[in-house]
Amino acid sequence: MLYLQLFISFFKIGLFGFGGGLAILSLIQMEVEHYGWMSQQEFVDIVAVSQVTPGPIGINCATYVGYTATGSVLGSVLTTLAIVLPSLIIMLTICKLYFWLTARFKGNPYYEQPLRMLRFTVIGLIASAALMLIQPTNFIDTASWCIFASVAFFTILPQWLNGKIVKILSHPILLIVLSGVAGYFIYR
């Protein structure tokens, strides 16, 4: 019965909890207090551990609550699955609908034109976020601007050139590591 209560509670939290991990902590706390799965101090400790462990805080907290309430790994797996399952179902449904619509209306200009326009909207949103990050506190000298320009260049480069070496040089993880190394040696 405990496992069913945990699954239903965390499925509801995953379904109705909007705003990210910190926003759903109060929902988790309400369920924990309602069912008496742990004391208030234990929950505060779990939130603290969830904040310092890698990953989303809401999922980490759900995992720890499941383990603490049941004393087993099965409880933690069950609560983690329950909090993630609604998002997974919603995203799979949206993707299935998108692919069905795309196959059904392929070649229809009334369907394809708005999707083409959305591409420009997404580019604008990404550019807006990038421009908001360009602040004097982030770019303190010419070297930081050079690092930024180099990363931007190698990000856009595969659009113009084709080749294996270009794809390797423009890999995002490689660009992040090289930027970090350059920043370390320039600013140490």
Side-chain angles (χ1 to χ4, degrees):
M1 187 65 176
L2 175 61
Y3 291 100
L4 182 62
Q5 285 177 338
L6 281 167
F7 184 83
I8 291 172
S9 293
F10 281 93
F11 188 84
K12 287 188 307 188
I13 292 168
L15 187 61
F16 297 111
F18 293 96
L22 292 173
I24 66 171
L25 283 179
S26 61
L27 295 173
I28 294 173
Q29 183 179 9
M30 281 182 7
E31 291 294 318
V32 165
E33 288 177 1
H34 175 31
Y35 289 108
W37 290 325
M38 64 188 62
S39 69
Q40 183 68 23
Q41 184 59 44
E42 286 175 316
F43 182 75
V44 170
D45 293 342
I46 283 175
V47 171
V49 170
S50 298
Q51 287 179 329
V52 297
T53 52
I57 187 172
I59 295 172
N60 290 346
C61 191
T63 304
Y64 293 132
V65 168
Y67 184 79
T68 305
T70 63
S72 70
V73 174
L74 177 63
S76 63
V77 170
L78 191 70
T79 54
T80 303
L81 177 69
I83 202 164
V84 172
L85 195 59
S87 299
L88 179 66
I89 292 169
I90 291 168
M91 287 309 301
L92 287 176
T93 305
I94 290 171
C95 288
K96 182 74 174 168
L97 179 64
Y98 170 76
F99 289 125
W100 178 79
L101 287 171
T102 302
R104 171 102 166 74
F105 295 109
K106 186 173 186 168
N108 184 338
Y110 295 110
Y111 178 75
E112 290 183 355
Q113 185 63 28
L115 290 180
R116 249 184 254 116
M117 298 298 283
L118 280 175
R119 290 181 189 151
F120 294 111
T121 305
V122 169
I123 290 169
L125 289 171
I126 292 171
S128 170
L131 289 174
M132 285 178 21
L133 291 175
I134 298 176
Q135 300 290 327
T137 56
N138 295 335
F139 295 93
I140 55 177
D141 60 2
T142 307
S144 58
W145 280 103
C146 290
I147 293 171
F148 173 75
S150 300
V151 169
F153 174 74
F154 282 108
T155 302
I156 297 170
L157 186 64
Q159 303 296 321
W160 295 313
L161 301 174
N162 195 3
K164 191 168 187 147
I165 192 72
V166 172
K167 289 185 180 182
I168 291 171
L169 287 175
S170 64
H171 195 279
I173 295 174
L174 179 64
L175 291 174
I176 291 169
V177 169
L178 290 176
S179 298
V181 169
Y184 173 78
F185 285 113
I186 292 170
Y187 297 111
R188 66 179 158 134

